[in-house]
Amino acid sequence: MRSNAPASARGLFVTGTDTEVGKTFVAVAVVTSLVAAGYRVAVMKPVAAGIAAGHAVNADVAALRAAANVAAAPGDVNPYAFADAVAPHIAAARAGVAIDVAHCAAAYRRLAADADAVVVEGAGGALVPLGPGTDMLDLASALGLPVLLVVGLRLGCINHALLTALAVRARGLQLAGWVANRIDPAMAAADANVQTLESRLGAPLVADIGWCDRVSRPPRIPDLPGLFGLR
């Protein structure tokens, strides 16, 4: 366990090959694992779309906040929240709001000031638009964070994962690692798909999450401090 917090937190940006591939599940697992290792962990979902009737926040935001052990202002954890469950740029346009990457970066800095690590979860896939000329990877760039890619294992995942990795690196971002999330229990040749991605992604496989693990509590992920540059 660390006894002395660093001057500023180390962060990780969690993105995925698509929507509904388990980004939140993996992000919560990352947070839970770091908390169990003795770190002070803050969370952030810069943009969240889709708030169920009768609920104050998006379900992903609620799950992240429940896992974290650093209290933070709701507006810093989730600077942009939209009721409509649609792509962020569409939700923002409907609400008459412009998503400001600099505003998100300022919120991140406040979170980082009080934590050892900050886990940031994107929305949708890596290239989901935020507004005219901006997308989710622009946000990762503005925060200066390495990327953890969640690959939803289903037919087509190899192409989706390799294209996402290309996009991440084209922005000058580090692909720190990836997670195989077995979201389709009937997928043919799932193990062979994982092996192909291990040989082609050029980043470490951080975790291979089975279908049964997905329907229980988030698994502990070992060796996470290294991804964050924590010791």
Side-chain angles (χ1 to χ4, degrees):
M1 177 185 294
R2 288 182 61 93
S3 58
N4 297 311
S8 61
R10 305 297 180 93
L12 194 68
F13 191 90
V14 181
T15 192
T17 47
D18 202 349
T19 191
E20 300 299 328
V21 295
K23 290 189 306 297
T24 302
F25 184 84
V26 170
V28 168
V30 170
V31 174
T32 301
S33 299
L34 288 172
V35 168
Y39 294 95
R40 299 179 306 136
V41 186
V43 294
M44 186 181 192
K45 176 96 174 176
V47 183
I51 300 175
H55 292 261
V57 297
N58 169 279
D60 296 347
V61 175
L64 289 167
R65 289 178 61 181
N69 62 352
V70 171
D76 286 345
V77 173
N78 180 208
Y80 293 98
F82 304 107
D84 291 344
V86 295
H89 68 299
I90 297 173
R94 288 181 177 179
V97 172
I99 297 173
D100 184 356
V101 171
H103 176 68
C104 295
Y108 173 82
R109 288 192 294 271
R110 289 189 290 271
L111 293 169
D114 292 326
D116 297 317
V118 185
V119 177
V120 182
E121 184 197 343
L127 294 180
V128 165
L130 297 177
T134 59
D135 58 38
M136 201 59 63
L137 287 184
D138 289 317
L139 183 52
S141 295
L143 302 184
L145 298 181
V147 174
L148 179 65
L149 174 61
V150 180
V151 178
L153 284 186
R154 59 189 177 202
L155 188 62
C157 68
I158 293 175
N159 184 60
H160 294 164
L162 295 177
L163 285 173
T164 303
L166 282 174
V168 168
R169 291 174 173 133
R171 301 294 179 87
L173 295 166
Q174 176 194 359
L175 183 60
W178 65 285
V179 172
N181 191 22
R182 299 182 183 241
I183 59 176
D184 179 3
M187 181 186 183
D191 290 344
N193 276 255
V194 172
Q195 292 166 8
T196 298
L197 288 171
E198 281 192 279
S199 69
R200 290 176 177 261
L201 274 177
L205 173 60
V206 175
D208 186 341
I209 301 174
W211 174 257
C212 292
D213 297 324
R214 294 182 67 256
V215 296
S216 60
R217 67 180 57 190
R220 294 284 173 85
I221 301 177
D223 302 325
L224 275 174
L227 280 182
F228 283 84
L230 298 167
R231 295 292 182 267

